Amino acid sequence: MSTASRTSRQWLLTLPSLTWLAVFFVIPAILVILTAFRPADLQGGVGPGWTLDTLHELNDPAYLPILWRTFSLSAATTLICLVLGLPVAFQMARAGQRLRQVLLLLVIIPFLSNFLIRIFAWKSLLHPEGPLTKLLISLQLIPENAVLLHHSGTVLLVLVYTQLPFAILPLYAAAEKFDLGLLDAARDLGAGPWRAFAKVFVPGVRRGLISAAVMVFVCCLGQYVIPQMVGGASDEMLGSKIAQRVFSDRNLPHASALAGGLMLAVLVPMLIVALWQQFGRKEES
Amino acid sequence: MKRSWLPGFITLGVILFLFAPLVVLVVNSFNASRFGGEWEGFTWMWYEKLWAAGEIWESLWITLKIAISASLATMVLGTLAAYALHRFRSGLQNVHHMLITLPLVMPDILMGMSLLALFVLTGVETGLLTIWIAHVTFCLSFVTMVVLGRLQDFDLTLLDAARDLGATQAQAVKKVLLPLLLPGVLAGGLLAFTLSIDDYVITFFVSGPGTTTLPLRVASMMKTSRSLPVINALSTLLIASTFLVAVCSHRLQRRA
Amino acid sequence: MDDFLVIDHVSKTFGTQRAVDSVSLNVVKGEAFSLLGPSGCGKTTLLRMIAGFERPDSGRILVNGQDITALPPEQRPVNTVFQNYALFPHLSVWENVAFGLRMSRRPREEIRSGVDRMLELVRLSEHARKRPAQLSGGQRQRVAIARALVNRPQVLLLDEPLAALDLKLRQHMLMELNTIHEQVGTTFIYVTHDQGEAMSLSSRIAVMNAGRVEQVDSPAHLYETPRTSFVASFIGDANFFTGTAVEFQHEGYVRVFVDGLGSPLVLSNGTVASNQPLRLMVRPEKISLTLARPSSGERVNAFRGVVEDRAYFGTHTRYRIRAGEHSILAQLQRSRFSGGDIDPARGAEVWMSFHPDEGRVVRLEAAS
């Protein structure tokens, strides 16, 4: 095959998806950042000209607790998901072929189940008239008038619940490739089971660990449905503010400024991780 | 050497944690009690109410239209993309690969927000078309990844073998590559279908009047406690169909 | 000799690496020919150029007088047995074999009889409906051969045909391949890195190294009269000594001064200039071991040494013998112990000797 025809074939195959993503992913992302510098119009659109007003408005100390809450809830969710996900991935990897397929299916089903339904399930479970509340009251574990919904704790619980499969799947993908014989080797060399797990297994699946952490953390950063549905008035996250600016205030530039900030906060660490992994791959090969 | 029971124990706990709320929801869909705090007897009542709720079926129809057309489009786009990524090593493919993976880690709200910005600034009326575009955009990466996984198991010398036996380039693709790739493409399509049906956040941003998809309908129903048990019934049906889809796609991906 | 497959000054460069460097070869019709060399020597690239998967940068490839250099693989009268067989996993054995005939749109009846006949030839008729995954390695190999041969190619290319098989099966398939070759009479071209395979499968071998052909010869000639030190070391074991030619004798013998060993008399193997540094090669099994100095006079080269190591292999025994700076490998067949040879223990002092006809001058590099 000649080089010229090879090159044109490559372009022909690449162009459809490349164009689609350029038009509907890259350009919109750039537009969001640009919109932050446009004035708002009253119909929820964008007015003519350019302005820095939106950025000035963002310089408001009222945003600080929201930022902090967004970050700390995301970090806590990520940590809990990894701590729970690692042993599950390990168990799946060491299970026999049949059990492994069943476990995989059991993780995939909630992963594929409707996001709203999963939140709704918790909402009705934790409802003051719901089964969990009644059960806990009858066991006298909580007082009669306790409210389980609308806490920041509830937000964290449901965040973990929705994100856990996202953590388990990449961890399992890495654990499946991990040579479990290495753990026997570590035990043979005198490591206890905990040390073998921490010093051999965990570093062995670090690539899955990184993708799981990035996946969960980034997904949490943009959440607004969960705090809106199971959280209280003081549990707003950054995503809540963006949605509020778009749908209640109909202020697109303001929402864009918040979204643009979040986008940079997501993409910059992503690029660093991507570069780091690429570098690591070169080193290994 | 004795195997620790702790990972198995945690796994069991995690599986219970993942399924308990869903199980309660399914059970309550047959519970005569409105809030499901106590068992007040078996009933089909909520399913009857669901059956009578015309607006839900209308939403389901809209959702299916979008899901089917979006998954068909992503199967074509994603297969081409995966083939290009697998076949060629170049700067172009590095950029291509980055563009395919970035949407996977983009929070939904940002994708919805940026597509909304695009449509508002270009004056495109939001509606079925904009939802379809959004769905194709976020499904594309998933489908590409699934097909790419399948391609990585594909031995490229099979194409050489077909050419060697007298097949043209096009014949080799049709007779050898596509039949072997088909399970992966179908699994990708099923995943896209599920993701499309499931999506709430992005759809919420780019939907217009008269395009209330099922998740949007569910979200608005969740605001009124009167319809909560009906959501239980609907959720049960959705979970059952998710289960079917998951089993199908699992089978497809495992088939060698 | 009519040249059937002609490779005429073919070169191929990947990036900065010259994979195949102006290679010319002629293969006779019906011959079993091997391209032999270590990995990266260019043999696979050459094969891929004959099959049509790579285009040469320069040079021509002709089959039966037809220039096929520019033809795509599907239009060449050449078929390939791929290294890992590349059987189509979604097709049955029968459909795999029928693939080529279907591509050339042969009539249904011809396809049926052709495939059946070919499956019979490779003794797989009863497995026709199975999928490749249900077959053993040896059976897959035979499907791959049948799938290629059913198209009646003018040249059959076999890329490392035995590499994926275990040792026992390999020896069996070796015989089987020879039988199939005899039955169909097609020109076979093997690519292999295994000298044993090449020697037992083919009537002629081209030894390749670093993109060039070092020597083309029959297996016996390659073994007995290797022209370069690469060929000598790649095919069989060899002892090498560096020395200078000091005295030319009649009938192509030359006396070579080797520091520490004296001046053995060997075959010159072509033109050698006086006082030119050269390399001398002796096969381990050509060396005799005796207690006393052999008495055949001038025509025996003999040296003293001490046995450093001895390893018993059943059919033969190998010795590593130190003589001054030199460490020499000798190998004795069991039966030779009766003919005056001894079986010295470690540390024993022995005489090593070889006949001048068994020592050869080899070139350091291929002729450019």
Side-chain angles (χ1 to χ4, degrees):
Chain A
M1 210 182 312
S2 73
T3 324
S5 84
R6 199 180 150 83
T7 310
S8 66
R9 232 160 54 83
Q10 176 180 349
W11 275 100
L12 207 67
L13 286 165
T14 312
L15 221 48
S17 50
L18 202 67
T19 316
W20 186 281
L21 289 170
V23 174
F24 296 117
F25 183 72
V26 178
I27 291 177
I30 295 168
L31 283 180
V32 165
I33 293 174
L34 291 181
T35 309
F37 299 95
R38 304 287 293 272
D41 77 358
L42 296 173
Q43 283 79 45
V46 172
W50 299 89
T51 174
L52 283 174
D53 288 353
T54 316
L55 292 193
H56 288 307
E57 283 168 43
L58 283 183
N59 193 9
D60 181 345
Y63 279 109
L64 280 179
I66 293 177
L67 280 179
W68 170 245
R69 192 177 308 123
T70 305
F71 175 80
S72 57
L73 271 174
S74 304
T77 307
T78 309
L79 197 66
I80 296 172
C81 282
L82 292 184
V83 167
L84 289 176
L86 262 175
V88 175
F90 174 65
Q91 177 65 28
M92 286 168 80
R94 77 174 183 178
Q97 192 51 236
R98 252 192 111 72
L99 178 60
R100 178 190 295 201
Q101 295 302 333
V102 171
L103 287 174
L104 192 58
L105 207 58
L106 286 178
V107 175
I108 285 175
I109 288 167
F111 169 77
L112 287 180
S113 292
N114 193 297
F115 174 66
L116 279 178
I117 290 178
R118 288 187 292 153
I119 300 171
F120 174 73
W122 276 104
K123 205 175 159 159
S124 51
L125 202 61
L126 299 173
H127 194 273
E129 301 285 326
L132 195 62
T133 315
K134 296 226 160 163
L135 180 76
L136 292 178
I137 289 173
S138 69
L139 293 173
Q140 296 191 319
L141 286 173
I142 51 170
E144 278 296 326
N145 54 357
V147 180
L148 295 180
L149 270 174
H150 310 306
H151 282 295
S152 48
T154 329
V155 176
L156 180 62
L157 175 79
V158 178
L159 275 174
V160 169
Y161 181 75
T162 52
Q163 299 303 314
L164 197 49
F166 286 93
I168 295 176
L169 290 176
L171 284 174
Y172 166 67
E176 194 193 17
K177 294 195 190 88
F178 178 79
D179 175 10
L180 291 171
L182 294 179
L183 287 178
D184 291 343
R187 300 286 299 273
D188 183 65
L189 294 168
W194 278 104
R195 278 176 66 93
F197 188 84
K199 298 276 177 191
V200 179
F201 180 73
V202 174
V205 296
R206 66 181 183 285
R207 201 150 277 168
L209 215 57
I210 291 168
S211 24
V214 168
M215 204 82 166
V216 173
F217 187 72
V218 164
C219 272
C220 289
L221 283 182
Q223 273 303 335
Y224 81 92
V225 181
I226 294 173
Q228 180 190 317
M229 296 209 176
V230 301
S234 59
D235 293 321
E236 282 187 321
M237 292 171 73
L238 189 56
S240 322
K241 280 288 165 211
I242 297 177
Q244 195 185 320
R245 294 285 175 268
V246 176
F247 299 112
S248 313
D249 308 350
R250 299 186 62 72
N251 187 332
L252 204 57
H254 208 141
S256 294
L258 290 171
L262 182 57
M263 202 179 293
L264 294 179
V266 167
L267 289 184
V268 170
M270 277 298 311
L271 284 177
I272 291 173
V273 169
L275 287 176
W276 184 72
Q277 289 208 335
Q278 201 136 34
F279 183 69
R281 198 165 314 155
K282 267 187 203 138
E283 245 178 338
E284 264 170 42
S285 62
Chain B
M1 206 174 305
K2 197 172 143 282
R3 278 157 57 115
S4 165
W5 48 268
L6 192 63
F9 189 73
I10 295 176
T11 304
L12 188 69
V14 164
I15 300 280
L16 284 178
F17 173 60
L18 287 177
F19 278 88
L22 300 180
V23 169
V24 170
L25 194 140
V26 169
V27 169
N28 271 336
S29 76
F30 301 104
N31 188 350
S33 155
R34 179 167 293 275
F35 295 109
E38 278 134 14
W39 183 256
E40 289 176 13
F42 182 89
T43 179
W44 286 109
M45 178 168 64
W46 312 121
Y47 287 90
E48 282 158 19
K49 286 202 170 166
L50 174 66
W51 180 246
E55 76 278 4
I56 290 184
W57 300 105
E58 199 179 301
S59 295
L60 178 66
W61 174 233
I62 294 172
T63 305
L64 285 179
K65 271 198 291 195
I66 294 167
I68 291 171
S69 54
S71 45
L72 286 179
T74 41
M75 276 157 82
V76 175
L77 281 175
T79 306
L80 289 178
Y83 185 74
L85 284 174
H86 185 63
R87 190 80 181 81
F88 305 103
R89 294 277 174 275
S90 61
L92 175 66
Q93 294 310 325
N94 288 346
V95 173
H96 191 201
H97 188 256
M98 197 167 80
L99 274 185
I100 292 280
T101 41
L102 271 183
L104 293 172
V105 291
M106 189 72 137
D108 286 354
I109 193 172
L110 291 184
M111 196 176 269
M113 179 68 218
S114 50
L115 281 168
L116 177 66
L118 175 77
F119 296 139
V120 168
L121 291 173
T122 53
V124 177
E125 193 91 10
T126 51
L128 268 187
L129 178 70
T130 53
I131 298 179
W132 179 78
I133 288 173
H135 284 210
V136 171
T137 308
F138 74 75
C139 291
L140 178 56
S141 306
F142 287 94
V143 176
T144 308
M145 285 300 153
V146 171
V147 179
L148 193 59
R150 183 84 192 175
L151 265 176
Q152 270 151 3
D153 298 334
F154 179 81
D155 178 8
L156 279 175
T157 51
L158 289 179
L159 290 182
D160 282 349
R163 296 290 302 276
D164 187 69
L165 293 167
T168 61
Q169 181 87 32
Q171 278 174 314
V173 168
K174 194 175 133 218
K175 298 267 178 188
V176 177
L177 181 64
L178 283 185
L180 286 168
L181 215 52
L182 197 63
V185 176
L186 286 180
L190 271 181
L191 180 63
F193 183 77
T194 337
L195 291 171
S196 168
I197 285 191
D198 186 36
D199 181 70
Y200 167 67
V201 175
I202 298 173
T203 312
F204 193 48
F205 275 87
V206 296
S207 65
T211 54
T212 309
T213 64
L214 201 55
L216 298 189
R217 179 75 64 196
V218 171
S220 73
M221 283 165 70
M222 277 167 70
K223 291 192 181 105
T224 55
S225 66
R226 193 166 41 81
S227 45
L228 293 187
V230 179
I231 304 182
N232 282 337
L234 177 63
S235 304
T236 303
L237 296 182
L238 284 175
I239 291 169
S241 54
T242 305
F243 183 81
L244 276 180
V245 169
V247 171
C248 286
S249 113
H250 197 64
R251 286 270 156 88
L252 278 174
Q253 275 177 301
R254 275 210 304 157
R255 217 175 71 184
Chain C
M1 228 165 48
D2 53 334
D3 292 329
F4 190 64
L5 169 68
V6 177
I7 294 165
D8 181 19
H9 291 94
V10 164
S11 294
K12 178 78 186 175
T13 307
F14 293 115
T16 55
Q17 202 204 343
R18 216 158 167 73
V20 172
D21 192 359
S22 189
V23 165
S24 292
L25 287 170
N26 298 313
V27 179
V28 181
K29 188 178 172 86
E31 188 177 17
F33 189 91
S34 282
L35 299 170
L36 172 67
S39 64
C41 72
K43 59 187 191 301
T44 301
T45 306
L46 188 56
L47 178 102
R48 289 178 62 80
M49 288 192 287
I50 301 172
F53 302 126
E54 305 285 352
R55 187 76 65 82
D57 297 337
S58 59
R60 295 185 311 153
I61 298 171
L62 296 99
V63 172
N64 203 7
Q66 182 200 5
D67 187 342
I68 61 164
T69 319
L71 288 183
E74 64 266 25
Q75 288 171 27
R76 297 187 179 210
V78 173
N79 285 114
T80 310
V81 175
F82 290 85
Q83 180 166 6
N84 292 310
Y85 317 138
L87 299 179
F88 304 124
H90 59 304
L91 301 180
S92 70
V93 167
W94 202 92
E95 286 165 324
N96 261 284
V97 178
F99 192 94
L101 295 177
R102 289 211 170 124
M103 286 300 125
S104 53
R105 301 186 190 288
R106 300 286 174 73
R108 182 183 292 263
E109 188 50 35
E110 187 191 329
I111 295 177
R112 202 186 55 75
S113 65
V115 173
D116 287 346
R117 195 175 42 79
M118 202 41 77
L119 284 177
E120 216 162 289
L121 177 78
V122 296
R123 293 179 291 106
L124 282 173
S125 302
E126 67 270 43
H127 300 293
R129 288 172 174 280
K130 288 189 181 167
R131 291 283 169 98
Q134 296 167 282
L135 301 181
S136 70
Q139 289 169 332
R140 276 181 225 178
Q141 157 84 283
R142 303 209 300 264
V143 177
I145 293 168
R147 184 178 72 173
L149 278 178
V150 75
N151 307 293
R152 298 176 183 279
Q154 310 224 31
V155 176
L156 182 70
L157 305 173
L158 300 101
D159 188 5
E160 301 276 2
L162 304 176
L165 304 177
D166 60 49
L167 188 66
K168 261 230 149 67
L169 204 52
R170 199 179 299 181
Q171 304 196 324
H172 175 76
M173 276 311 295
L174 214 68
M175 307 290 175
E176 182 117 2
L177 280 171
N178 279 330
T179 313
I180 292 172
H181 178 243
E182 263 170 43
Q183 282 177 333
V184 297
T186 309
T187 310
F188 277 31
I189 299 200
Y190 295 100
V191 158
T192 176
H193 66 279
D194 185 308
Q195 40 123 350
E197 248 171 68
M199 302 228 282
S200 43
L201 285 171
S202 39
S203 53
R204 285 195 307 147
I205 299 173
V207 182
M208 290 187 69
N209 180 32
R212 289 165 159 268
V213 172
E214 298 250 337
Q215 188 172 352
V216 184
D217 240 322
S218 69
H221 269 97
L222 284 176
Y223 190 77
E224 300 293 341
T225 51
R227 277 215 293 273
T228 66
S229 56
F230 176 82
V231 174
S233 62
F234 196 76
I235 296 181
D237 292 315
N239 291 299
F240 291 107
F241 308 98
T242 315
T244 36
V246 288
E247 181 196 342
F248 292 90
Q249 296 193 356
H250 56 95
E251 288 166 358
Y253 291 99
V254 61
R255 199 167 276 288
V256 179
F257 173 74
V258 179
D259 194 28
L261 283 186
S263 301
L265 183 70
V266 296
L267 274 175
S268 78
N269 220 358
T271 52
V272 180
S274 179
N275 292 323
Q276 178 193 357
L278 50 78
R279 198 173 262 203
L280 148 63
M281 186 279 295
V282 189
R283 299 276 183 205
E285 73 276 12
K286 307 292 189 193
I287 295 175
S288 297
L289 300 179
T290 47
L291 272 179
R293 187 189 171 99
S295 53
S296 318
E298 260 221 345
R299 300 202 61 84
V300 166
N301 305 301
F303 331 94
R304 276 167 75 87
V306 177
V307 177
E308 281 190 328
D309 253 313
R310 173 183 176 278
Y312 176 67
F313 285 91
T315 55
H316 60 271
T317 309
R318 297 182 81 149
Y319 308 87
R320 182 154 289 287
I321 300 164
R322 163 121 349 238
E325 294 282 284
H326 304 278
S327 175
I328 298 161
L329 191 68
Q331 175 176 320
L332 295 192
Q333 297 285 326
R334 225 182 134 60
S335 58
R336 270 175 64 190
F337 294 144
S338 51
D341 279 313
I342 54 159
D343 180 16
R346 252 178 89 159
E349 223 174 89
V350 291
W351 280 91
M352 296 166 279
S353 56
F354 65 90
H355 192 271
D357 287 355
E358 310 292 6
R360 319 226 165 245
V361 171
V362 290
R363 273 202 302 263
L364 291 167
E365 279 172 45
S368 30

